[in-house]
C-alpha cells in the first residue's frame, strides 16, 4: 500500500460519528446558506484568536483576495510578499487588481526575509503580505514597524498556521487582517473548500461581509459596490465548529510526529546531508508540513517511490518563475535563496493521525535511501 504525504481517512474514521452528525444538523436546520452554523463558527473562530470579527468565505484564495480589497488594496497598488509560497497567495493579489512584489526568504526557516522588505517599498506599495509558511510565523515586529512608518496595511496569510504562535500570540492577530484556508489538508480542515478572514476593525469586517455577498449588506438584492459570491458553506462551517474544539489536539499530534522524525533522522544531518526544519526564534511550530532538504532531493524521491512512499514538494516552482507571472519581470537568479530551496526541499508524511508504524516505515526507508546515495 502506498504511503502518501496526507490522508484524511484515518481522522475521518475516528471522527465519523461527529462529522455525520454535523451534516445532519445542517440538513435538519432548514437553513443551508449563511445560517447558524456559519455564524457560530465565525463567533467561535474569532473567540479562539481573541479578536472581535471573523467573516467566513468560500476558500483561502478568496480570503486573501477579499481581505486585500476590504483593506483598500486594488488596481495600481503593490503588495510585498514572497515567491516561496503556494501560488494562490499571488493569484489572490492579482485577483484584487494589485501587483505582487517579491522579496527573498531566509535559507534556514524558508520564511520572508523581513530585512529585505523596506528596499522593496515604492510610492505604489499599499500592503505587506507575510506568509506564515509550513506551520510557523514570519517575524512580525519589523513588519509592523515598517507598516506604521510607511502607512501600509498588513494582511497575514495564515493558511498553513492554524494554532501557531509567535512570541505567545496566535498567528492571525498581528496584522490589520488575516486570511485562513480550511482546505482539507490544513491543520484545521473542512471536507472541501473554505476560508475566513479575521480582523479587529469593524469597518473592515463590514466590507468583507459585503464583498462575500455580491456587495450587498443590509438590504438584499441592492448592491452598492459590486462584490462576489464567496460564502462559507453551512455544512463545512458546522464541521469546522466541531473540529475547532479539537484544533489543539491536532497540533499536539503533529508536533509528536515531528519530534519522532527529528529524533530518528538527526544523525543524518551535517554538511551535504539531510536538513531538518529550523524553528525561528519566538515561534511555536504547528508542522502543517514537515519540510526537509537535501541536494539530491529528486533522487531520494524517486527511490522512495520504489518503496511505495509518495512524497510532496512544497513548492517545486517558485511563483516568480511561472509563466503566468512572467510579466512581472523577475528573471532567473532574482530570488536566489527561493530558487535554490525549490531544488532541494521535500515534505515527509505529516498529519496528526499518521500511525506510528507508518512513521517508522518512512523513517526506515529514508535512512536506507540516504545510505545508498
Amino acid at each position: 500500500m502506498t504511503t502518501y504525504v496526507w490522508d484524511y481517512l484515518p481522522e475521518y474514521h475516528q471522527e465519523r460519528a461527529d462529522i455525520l452528525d454535523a451534516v445532519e444538523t445542517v440538513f435538519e436546520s432548514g437553513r443551508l446558506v449563511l445560517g447558524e452554523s456559519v455564524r457560530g463558527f465565525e463567533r467561535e473562530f474569532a473567540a479562539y484568536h481573541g479578536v472581535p470579527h471573523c467573516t467566513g468565505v468560500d476558500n483561502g484564495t478568496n480570503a486573501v483576495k477579499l481581505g486585500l480589497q476590504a483593506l483598500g488594496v486594488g488596481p495600481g497598488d503593490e503588495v510585498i510578499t514572497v515567491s516561496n509560497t503556494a501560488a494562490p497567495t499571488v493569484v489572490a493579489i492579482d485577483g484584487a487588481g494589485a501587483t505582487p512584489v517579491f522579496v527573498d526568504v531566509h535559507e534556514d526557516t524558508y520564511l520572508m526575509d523581513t530585512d529585505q522588505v523596506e528596499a522593496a517599498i515604492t510610492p505604489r506599495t499599499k500592503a505587506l503580505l507575510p506568509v506564515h509558511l509550513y506551520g510557523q510565523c514570519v517575524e512580525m515586529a519589523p513588519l509592523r514597524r515598517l507598516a506604521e512608518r510607511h502607512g501600509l496595511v498588513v494582511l497575514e496569510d495564515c493558511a498553513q498556521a492554524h494554532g501557531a504562535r509567535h512570541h505567545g500570540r496566535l498567528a492571525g492577530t498581528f496584522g490589520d487582517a488575516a486570511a485562513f484556508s480550511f482546505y482539507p489538508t490544513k491543520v484545521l480542515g473542512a471536507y472541501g473548500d473554505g476560508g475566513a478572514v479575521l480582523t479587529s476593525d469593524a469597518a473592515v469586517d463590514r466590507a468583507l461581509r459585503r464583498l462575500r455577498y455580491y456587495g450587498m449588506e443590509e438590504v438584499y438584492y441592492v448592491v452598492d459596490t459590486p462584490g462576489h459570491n464567496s460564502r462559507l458553506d453551512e455544512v463545512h462551517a458546522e464541521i469546522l465548529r466541531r473540529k475547532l474544539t479539537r484544533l489543539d489536539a491536532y497540533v499536539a499530534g503533529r508536533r509528536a510526529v515531528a519530534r519522532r522524525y527529528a529524533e530518528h533522522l538527526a544523525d543524518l544531518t551535517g554538511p551535504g546531508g539531510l536538513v531538518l526544519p529550523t524553528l525561528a526564534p519566538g515561534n511555536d511550530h504547528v508542522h502543517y508540513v514537515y519540510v526537509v532538504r537535501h541536494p539530491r532531493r529528486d533522487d531520494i524521491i524517486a527511490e522512495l517511490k520504489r518503496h511505495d512512499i509518495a512524497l510532496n514538494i512544497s513548492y517545486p516552482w517558485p511563483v516568480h518563475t511561472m509563466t503566468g507571472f512572467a510579466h512581472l519581470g523577475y528573471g532567473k537568479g532574482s530570488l536566489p535563496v527561493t530558487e535554490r530551496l525549490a531544488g532541494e526541499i521535500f515534505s515527509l508524511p505529516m498529519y496528526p493521525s499518521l500511525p506510528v508504524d507508518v512513521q517508522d516505515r518512512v523513517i526506515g526507508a529514508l535512512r536506507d535511501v540516504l545510505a545508498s546515495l
Side-chain angles (χ1 to χ4, degrees), residues 46-282:
Y48 179 88
H49 290 86
V51 299
H53 306 292
C54 172
T55 299
V57 298
D58 54 343
N59 56 65
T61 307
N62 279 337
V64 176
K65 177 183 174 182
L66 272 61
L68 289 170
Q69 291 178 317
L71 291 168
V73 177
D77 295 328
E78 293 178 346
V79 178
I80 298 175
T81 190
V82 291
S83 179
N84 182 39
T85 183
T89 303
V90 185
V91 169
I93 295 171
D94 183 77
T99 300
V101 174
F102 299 118
V103 296
D104 218 338
V105 297
H106 291 292
E107 188 157 6
D108 55 350
T109 64
Y110 320 139
L111 298 170
M112 174 185 276
D113 185 346
T114 57
D115 289 339
Q116 297 188 22
V117 172
E118 187 157 31
I121 295 173
T122 75
R124 295 177 57 194
T125 305
K126 185 65 176 288
L128 308 179
L129 206 169
V131 180
H132 300 318
L133 197 69
Y134 303 150
Q136 67 172 327
C137 296
V138 173
E139 189 181 10
M140 292 303 297
L143 291 185
R144 288 300 330 176
R145 289 194 294 269
L146 285 174
E148 291 166 9
R149 187 182 313 145
H150 294 276
L152 309 176
V153 295
V154 177
L155 176 67
E156 299 172 68
D157 184 339
C158 301
Q160 302 185 10
H162 309 77
R165 291 181 181 271
H166 181 57
H167 296 293
R169 288 178 57 180
L170 282 165
T173 64
F174 293 90
D176 297 283
F180 289 80
S181 167
F182 304 121
Y183 187 74
T185 61
K186 303 304 183 186
V187 179
L188 178 63
Y191 280 71
D193 278 313
V197 185
L198 294 178
T199 184
S200 295
D201 189 321
V204 171
D205 185 63
R206 286 195 301 273
L208 285 163
R209 292 178 182 279
R210 289 193 301 270
L211 286 166
R212 76 166 177 191
Y213 197 54
Y214 309 111
M216 302 176 189
E217 187 173 12
E218 307 240 336
V219 181
Y220 288 167
Y221 306 116
V222 175
V223 173
D224 295 319
T225 302
H228 311 270
N229 178 5
S230 299
R231 301 167 295 207
L232 178 62
D233 183 81
E234 275 287 288
V235 171
H236 294 319
E238 185 61 34
I239 291 172
L240 288 166
R241 292 183 76 179
R242 313 294 182 93
K243 294 187 72 175
L244 179 59
T245 65
R246 299 187 283 271
L247 175 54
D248 292 342
Y250 298 150
V251 170
R254 289 173 178 273
R255 287 174 174 158
V257 175
R259 282 195 299 271
R260 291 197 81 246
Y261 281 148
E263 290 167 4
H264 291 281
L265 298 173
D267 63 309
L268 302 178
T269 62
L274 195 67
V275 179
L276 300 180
T278 297
L279 184 67

Side-chain angles (χ1 to χ4, degrees), residues 4-5 10 13 41 59 82 88-89 140-141 152 222 224 240 303 307 316 345 358 360:
Y4 295 99
V5 169
H13 292 151
F41 175 71
N59 56 65
V82 291
T89 303
M140 292 303 297
L152 309 176
V222 175
D224 295 319
L240 288 166
E303 286 301 314
H307 290 74
I345 55 177
V358 177
D360 290 339

